[in-house]
Amino acid sequence: MSQEQRAVERARKAFCTGRTKPLQYRIDQLKNLQRFIVERQKEIADALKKDLNKSEFGTPLYETMGLEGEISLAVSKLAEWAAPRPATKNLLTVSDEVYIQPEPLGVVLIIGAWNYPWAVTLQPLIGAIAAGNAAVIKPSEVCVHTSKVMGALLPLYIDKEVYPVVTGGVQETQELLQHRFDYIFYTGNCTVGKVIMEAAAKHLTPVTLELGGKSPCYIDKNCDITIACRRIAWGKYTNCGQTCIAPDYILCDPSIQDRIIEEIKKSVKEFYTEDPKTCSDYGRIINKRHFKRVMTLLEDSTIAMGGQNDESECYIAPTVLRDVKPGAKVMQEEIFGPVLPILCIGNVDEAIDFINQREKPLALYIFSSDNKLIKHMITETSSGGVLANDCLVHFSVSSLPFGGVGNSGMGSYHGKFSFDQLSHLRGCLIKQLKMEGMNKMRYPPHTAKKLSWARFFILNQVELSKLGRWALFALLAVVVAVILQRYFAD
Amino acid sequence: MESQRQIIERLRAAFQSGVTAPLQFRLTQLKSLLSLLEDNEPQILEALQKDLAKPKFEAVLSEIDMVVNDLCYTINSLPTWIQPSYVGKNLATKLDDCFVRREPLGVVLIIGAWNYPLQLILAPLIGAIAAGNCAILKPSEISRATERLLAQLIPKYLSQECFAVICGGAEETKSLLENRFDHIFYTGSQAVARSILQAAAVHLTPVTLELGGKCPCLIYGRLDMLAAAKRLVWSKFFNAGQSCVAPDYVLCTPEMREELLPAIAKALSIFYGSQPKQSEDFSRIVTDRHWDRLMALLGKTQGRVVMGGEGSKEDKYFAPTVVVDLDGSDALMQEEIFGPIMPILTIESLEQGITFINQREKPLALYVFSDESQVVNMVLERTSSGGFCSNDGIVHMTLPGLPFGGVGASGMGSYHGRWTFETFSHRRGCMLRGWGLERISMLRYPPYTESNLSWLRWATSAKKKSWGVCSVM
């Protein structure tokens, strides 16, 4: 038996014992996960340094602080999220219980990505644990050291039968996908996303796909360009541009292009010194393959800043391209690197058309001091999420659903959305066997009179939750009296 | 005549022009749909009679009124649903606007089924329109009269720019699925669902699948047997058992069975008289092929037919039938019955019943009849199903407040009421920041320092005590 099959079967067996159902179990596991993050901060940071040259501070800032926040939210809210949720009744169900009961799905497969390996692999796990599922965790093999640490240390903290870590590459992932899961949560690219969805189709498994795309960044003439460029530079060059919601390219009026380039140069110098290669706060490209891919994208455009590189270190300097044409190589795929193309367009409506001619992105960035323009742009476009006047930070707001649309993905998570996404919301109607007289209207033999009564009851939706208790009883009394009268009149 | 591709391109152009976005347009279309139903009730009833010999009562309640109900609920609530919802803010985001917009997806495909040919295609359409999409309807070709009526009426009442009906069989559906849609809503069987999902994967199209399965009905403990039997018989033989949420099979103890059988017989006699074939209130099987399938199942069963069992192919009549003395390996237990055959299996204990249910695929609905609340609660807690109803059948799906959908093999996604609207919407998280507080933003920029990091940590850990977490970045 392969390690994949063993992991899946053990997880399913453990799930079927019912041990993940009690809220206390889930809270304990979440707290253990929290402990893991805190106690093993050093091992996590060391692995990230080796894999992505992430700085010592980059780890908590971008990987673990967000996780700690989500765990803390889940622990404090779990009882509320998992409780039955009352639903609207109608006149016929006045005396019945009508509610939605969130339930675990079963065994969830979580496939992580390499760019924020802890954040994007463990954050879905938080939702899976909170919702009462078992989970098979498959970290990205591209992050060799992080995978190893996850595989070795995570089982020391959380229930290793219920949440096994399966390490390996494409083959191991394909082996996993042969098995049946109750949900698959994938973070990565479109191409593999399609493969995952197809594999899921065989077992009718629902999926969440957190993909990517080219996230446009529109800079209006009317805005604080200094602050805008600083925030954009931060959003772009963090993690060396390898962020699914990094601002991919800039759209702006030609008259501000030079100023933008100046301001970005200034910010890059403030952040990473004159020589980012020597700065410990600046990352590296994950591997040679991606290094070569990103370098190719520079070929047919004009470099305004940066361009220096060193293949032996997978180093690419923070780079800006100017006067980029829509047909340029850099505009044909998601860049996922520290290269920021600037395309000049005439006005906001041209920008909107440009964006709408392309696939729906994961994020849309709008920099403007004009709220009307911002609202206009939001209304006329579609994207996973929108952030005005900053980059990336909407990711950390737990009360906003984070996910794509169209080619950028399907499904969403964070906060309660993670819990709901990985639960089954079961509609429940609890009736009693009494009041059988009421049912007479619906039974055959059918008569015109019965039919008109039935129509009356079904067609009247009442927001009973809004009525006061006294109104409810009065209504019920009238209803019963009328029914009994009809019943006897029959 | 337009090709499929031309129709889809036309609808896409209409969507991109923004015509479906305004609330007024959506309300007008929904009200038109309401008129379609009100103006054409006799024609609808006639079509349903042709397709399924549906008794007027059933057609009115389960087809017309269910849709009218949902329409009115949606028309009244849409102005609220369409508003952005502002989400919890805390100290750090006080100056920011955080909200969620519900936005249309684009051009959606709705594939209907033949058992409730009107309801199953119009109910999803309500949400598609409400959410601001354009939609292509592909009604089931098996319920031919309704298919033809829809093809005739929809263009008369709804905007032809934005909504189209495409008719055809398996071939036409296959070629339709090669196109790209922004959502596919399918009601039907698991086998077809798999190929729909595979076609959707090519374009990364999200789907909702309303499938079926064998809906178990557990009868246990202390209860009013006649009341239970009436509700059971009503839900089972409604539409001659051709409902995705019909109780497929019954589980009860041998002692209960002795009480249940005469109660079922009594209920059947009250409802359909001694000759159900003569009753106007009993439906027919949809096609010869389905009738043959049911007869074959009856032929293969190892159980004993105690009621019904006869039928006549000419008018596709199949008697309300009860079969006993069979077990889980029987032919009747291998596939969804979808017909008026009720197998009753015996169990020794509630525990055994629950185990039996859990060994099988998660059903679309699960029913328990009992006056003992601990029995109901135990089954509810120890099983999983799309929906759950105690002491009745089917009616839980008439409540627009409950999400109607399956789990596992019985489907994915849900609808009815607001749930349909959400299914056909994209929930877009929006955050609008200001220019101020740049000093706080500076904490997050490189060069990274220990002290900046600890300020940020402090700022975010303070949030842990309040509701909702947002980093102070």
Side-chain angles (χ1 to χ4, degrees):
Chain A
M1 197 193 288
S2 64
Q3 64 148 344
E4 292 77 34
Q5 190 175 347
R6 212 183 350 228
V8 178
E9 283 180 9
R10 275 221 323 246
R12 188 161 291 289
K13 210 158 152 224
F15 176 78
C16 291
T17 63
R19 90 170 85 130
T20 59
K21 264 226 152 163
L23 298 190
Q24 198 49 53
Y25 173 89
R26 309 181 202 182
I27 288 176
D28 288 342
Q29 293 301 312
L30 287 170
K31 288 187 171 162
N32 288 342
L33 190 60
Q34 166 74 13
R35 258 192 325 118
F36 165 78
I37 292 170
V38 169
E39 287 175 17
R40 299 294 182 159
Q41 189 74 192
K42 187 165 185 317
E43 284 92 333
I44 293 173
D46 284 345
L48 281 170
K49 180 110 192 124
K50 290 193 192 119
D51 283 327
L52 284 150
N53 201 39
K54 262 197 225 230
S55 72
E56 184 197 335
F57 301 109
T59 295
L61 203 54
Y62 302 113
E63 296 265 15
T64 56
M65 239 159 67
L67 287 177
E68 293 185 74
E70 285 268 321
I71 291 173
S72 155
L73 181 68
V75 165
S76 66
K77 292 281 185 179
L78 190 57
E80 187 190 306
W81 293 351
R85 306 173 189 181
T88 321
K89 303 192 200 187
N90 63 16
L91 283 176
L92 278 176
T93 42
V94 150
S95 58
D96 305 321
E97 279 175 65
V98 179
Y99 60 88
I100 297 163
Q101 178 61 60
E103 296 184 340
L105 291 167
V107 181
V108 176
L109 172 63
I110 299 172
I111 301 177
W114 55 259
N115 56 341
Y116 292 89
W118 294 97
V120 307
T121 313
L122 296 190
Q123 196 158 127
L125 178 62
I126 294 170
I129 296 175
N133 301 293
V136 174
I137 304 157
K138 166 69 189 65
S140 168
E141 72 283 7
V142 177
C143 272
V144 172
H145 301 93
T146 302
S147 276
K148 240 185 252 158
V149 168
M150 216 183 268
L153 297 183
L154 205 54
L156 300 178
Y157 288 79
I158 56 177
D159 192 327
K160 62 177 184 277
E161 282 186 341
V162 179
Y163 314 110
V165 178
V166 175
T167 53
V170 175
Q171 216 174 329
E172 285 76 9
T173 309
Q174 284 172 341
E175 161 75 47
L176 271 176
L177 288 170
Q178 307 270 41
H179 297 274
R180 184 180 182 183
F181 292 95
D182 299 289
Y183 205 92
I184 297 178
F185 195 109
Y186 169 75
T187 306
N189 66 58
C190 283
T191 314
V192 178
K194 290 179 184 174
V195 171
I196 304 261
M197 196 171 163
E198 214 200 308
K202 280 194 220 82
H203 298 291
L204 289 176
T205 302
V207 303
T208 289
L209 304 173
E210 295 276 331
L211 310 176
K214 294 179 79 59
S215 298
C217 180
Y218 175 74
I219 307 179
D220 190 33
K221 278 194 281 196
N222 172 11
C223 84
D224 185 328
I225 295 193
T226 306
I227 297 183
C229 289
R230 192 183 300 134
R231 295 179 180 182
I232 292 169
W234 173 76
K236 181 65 173 188
Y237 301 116
T238 295
N239 204 28
C240 221
Q242 296 161 122
T243 308
C244 50
I245 43 171
D248 190 277
Y249 63 96
I250 290 176
L251 292 170
C252 69
D253 190 277
S255 62
I256 52 173
Q257 186 179 210
D258 289 327
R259 172 96 193 278
I260 289 172
I261 295 170
E262 269 318 298
E263 294 291 343
I264 293 182
K265 273 196 186 144
K266 261 196 247 161
S267 296
V268 166
K269 197 164 135 201
E270 274 169 32
F271 296 164
Y272 308 117
T273 76
E274 291 280 3
D275 187 7
K277 195 176 183 192
T278 57
C279 176
S280 61
D281 293 338
Y282 188 67
R284 294 291 181 269
I285 302 296
I286 182 77
N287 60 30
K288 296 245 164 47
R289 182 169 69 84
H290 279 281
F291 172 88
K292 289 197 180 96
R293 181 187 64 78
V294 177
M295 288 309 298
T296 314
L297 298 178
L298 298 176
E299 279 167 15
D300 54 355
S301 296
T302 314
I303 296 179
M305 175 190 102
Q308 300 91 349
N309 60 88
D310 180 350
E311 185 167 343
S312 64
E313 274 190 48
C314 289
Y315 167 76
I316 300 180
T319 302
V320 174
L321 303 174
R322 64 175 299 137
D323 298 312
V324 176
K325 302 274 172 295
K329 282 191 182 150
V330 76
M331 289 306 290
Q332 304 317 310
E333 61 182 76
E334 187 177 355
I335 296 166
F336 227 66
V339 173
L340 182 57
I342 303 178
L343 285 81
C344 295
I345 41 89
N347 56 38
V348 68
D349 287 312
E350 259 186 57
I352 289 171
D353 284 337
F354 187 91
I355 292 168
N356 286 343
Q357 279 158 12
R358 287 159 174 74
E359 293 297 340
K360 297 176 187 179
L362 187 52
L364 171 64
Y365 297 110
I366 309 169
F367 284 82
S368 175
S369 298
D370 179 355
N371 270 337
K372 269 181 60 197
L373 182 143
I374 293 175
K375 296 245 154 97
H376 173 63
M377 223 177 167
I378 294 179
T379 315
E380 299 299 314
T381 58
S382 181
S383 61
V386 181
L387 175 51
N389 301 326
D390 208 332
C391 288
L392 308 188
V393 297
H394 62 299
F395 184 91
S396 59
V397 181
S398 302
S399 43
L400 288 177
F402 181 78
V405 64
N407 263 23
S408 49
M410 56 180 81
S412 60
Y413 71 131
H414 286 185
K416 184 177 182 205
F417 299 102
S418 302
F419 178 88
D420 282 358
Q421 189 81 94
L422 295 171
S423 297
H424 170 52
L425 300 179
R426 189 184 196 185
C428 299
L429 171 59
I430 309 294
K431 298 193 73 168
Q432 307 300 322
L433 282 167
K434 46 192 198 266
M435 299 267 274
E436 183 58 4
M438 298 265 284
N439 280 352
K440 222 174 174 252
M441 308 180 269
R442 79 189 199 205
Y443 295 150
H446 301 311
T447 65
K449 206 193 311 198
K450 277 201 208 174
L451 180 58
S452 63
W453 270 110
R455 294 188 92 154
F456 168 77
F457 277 103
I458 290 179
L459 288 177
N460 278 287
Q461 282 303 318
V462 184
E463 265 305 327
L464 287 168
S465 51
K466 297 211 178 93
L467 286 178
R469 186 157 257 184
W470 63 268
L472 194 67
F473 281 129
L475 188 67
L476 187 57
V478 167
V479 160
V480 171
V482 167
I483 286 298
L484 289 177
Q485 193 188 43
R486 286 266 148 194
Y487 181 91
F488 286 120
D490 273 347
Chain B
M1 212 186 80
E2 271 181 311
S3 71
Q4 286 182 355
R5 174 137 298 175
Q6 283 169 325
I7 296 175
I8 297 170
E9 280 170 14
R10 179 162 59 76
L11 261 56
R12 195 162 284 292
F15 176 77
Q16 267 151 12
S17 75
V19 65
T20 57
L23 177 62
Q24 207 40 58
F25 174 86
R26 308 182 201 187
L27 288 174
T28 308
Q29 294 300 303
L30 289 171
K31 290 180 179 157
S32 275
L33 195 55
L34 199 51
S35 301
L36 185 159
L37 294 165
E38 287 166 356
D39 298 345
N40 297 284
E41 192 167 299
Q43 292 90 317
I44 293 173
L45 294 178
E46 192 189 325
L48 291 168
Q49 173 68 227
K50 277 207 195 99
D51 284 331
L52 286 145
K54 225 177 254 245
K56 176 174 171 182
F57 192 95
E58 289 189 8
V60 163
L61 284 192
S62 69
E63 298 261 23
I64 299 177
D65 282 7
M66 264 212 63
V67 181
V68 167
N69 211 19
D70 212 337
L71 265 169
C72 293
Y73 184 74
T74 301
I75 290 170
N76 291 337
S77 316
L78 189 54
T80 312
W81 295 348
I82 217 174
Q83 295 306 319
S85 42
Y86 283 80
V87 299
K89 296 201 286 189
N90 52 33
L91 282 172
T93 46
K94 269 291 181 280
L95 299 180
D96 304 326
D97 257 344
C98 290
F99 54 92
V100 180
R101 278 171 54 98
R102 263 87 181 160
E103 299 181 346
L105 293 168
V107 180
V108 306
L109 173 64
I110 301 172
I111 302 177
W114 55 257
N115 55 337
Y116 294 87
L118 196 79
Q119 186 220 118
L120 295 176
I121 202 150
L122 293 188
L125 179 61
I126 295 172
I129 297 175
N133 301 289
C134 288
I136 294 199
L137 302 184
K138 163 66 193 76
S140 169
E141 71 283 9
I142 295 177
S143 39
R144 202 154 290 270
T146 311
E147 181 199 39
R148 253 182 263 131
L149 188 62
L150 282 167
Q152 184 205 332
L153 292 178
I154 295 277
K156 256 177 81 182
Y157 285 82
L158 298 184
S159 156
Q160 293 192 30
E161 268 190 299
C162 305
F163 307 104
V165 179
I166 292 183
C167 298
E171 275 308 309
E172 284 80 3
T173 309
K174 193 155 172 268
S175 70
L176 194 54
L177 286 168
E178 282 164 18
N179 294 283
R180 184 179 182 183
F181 294 97
D182 299 288
H183 194 98
I184 298 176
F185 192 108
Y186 170 74
T187 306
S189 75
Q190 283 168 25
V192 176
R194 275 190 195 91
S195 49
I196 298 218
L197 254 184
Q198 268 157 358
V202 172
H203 299 290
L204 286 173
T205 301
V207 302
T208 300
L209 303 173
E210 295 276 329
L211 311 177
K214 294 179 76 61
C215 299
C217 179
L218 241 157
I219 305 186
Y220 198 85
R222 187 176 28 89
L223 74 158
D224 175 344
M225 191 53 91
L226 185 58
K230 279 188 187 163
R231 296 175 189 196
L232 173 61
V233 166
W234 179 81
S235 358
K236 176 66 180 186
F237 298 109
F238 194 92
N239 203 28
Q242 298 162 112
S243 311
C244 45
V245 286
D248 189 278
Y249 63 95
V250 173
L251 292 170
C252 66
T253 62
E255 302 77 45
M256 287 229 114
R257 198 186 73 180
E258 295 317 303
E259 284 182 57
L260 180 60
L261 288 173
I264 291 177
K266 184 156 185 211
L268 279 173
S269 135
I270 297 174
F271 292 174
Y272 309 117
S274 54
Q275 307 274 23
K277 195 175 183 191
Q278 319 296 355
S279 165
E280 279 185 346
D281 299 329
F282 188 67
S283 299
R284 295 293 181 264
I285 305 303
V286 70
T287 63
D288 289 343
R289 186 167 63 85
H290 288 82
W291 190 95
D292 284 336
R293 180 186 65 85
L294 289 167
M295 260 313 164
L297 275 178
L298 212 51
K300 280 189 250 165
T301 182
Q302 306 280 350
R304 187 169 44 99
V305 176
V306 294
M307 277 177 239
E310 71 274 8
S312 61
K313 196 163 174 179
E314 318 82 63
D315 63 341
K316 289 170 279 184
Y317 166 74
F318 201 108
T321 301
V322 178
V323 180
V324 300
D325 296 337
L326 67 160
D327 66 22
S329 61
D330 194 271
L332 282 171
M333 292 305 289
Q334 302 320 309
E335 61 185 76
E336 187 175 356
I337 293 170
F338 225 68
I341 304 173
M342 185 195 294
I344 302 181
L345 287 77
T346 50
I347 45 168
E348 294 307 314
S349 64
L350 186 58
E351 190 61 50
Q352 198 187 32
I354 291 174
T355 307
F356 186 90
I357 291 170
N358 286 342
Q359 278 164 354
R360 285 160 176 72
E361 292 296 345
K362 295 177 186 177
L364 184 54
L366 208 156
Y367 302 110
V368 178
F369 282 87
S370 182
D371 270 329
E372 295 177 50
S373 60
Q374 62 263 46
V375 169
V376 174
N377 286 334
M378 193 170 160
V379 179
L380 183 55
E381 275 164 39
R382 302 262 311 272
T383 60
S384 183
S385 62
F388 181 90
C389 179
S390 68
N391 295 320
D392 212 329
I394 300 183
V395 290
H396 65 292
M397 71 169 286
T398 65
L399 295 170
L402 287 181
F404 178 68
V407 64
S410 50
M412 55 179 80
S414 62
Y415 72 129
H416 284 179
R418 183 171 190 164
W419 303 92
T420 327
F421 172 78
E422 297 281 336
T423 289
F424 287 108
S425 298
H426 167 50
R427 262 186 328 203
R428 192 180 192 189
C430 302
M431 182 174 182
L432 309 187
R433 304 210 81 188
W435 300 103
L437 295 183
E438 185 60 2
R439 301 234 59 169
I440 296 188
S441 289
M442 310 229 41
L443 288 175
R444 77 194 194 206
Y445 299 141
Y448 300 131
T449 65
E450 187 69 58
S451 87
N452 279 0
L453 182 60
S454 67
W455 274 110
L456 269 175
R457 284 202 113 111
W458 172 84
T460 48
S461 66
K463 304 297 150 297
K464 278 181 195 168
K465 298 192 178 65
S466 72
W467 52 292
V469 172
C470 172
S471 94
V472 84
M473 302 191 199

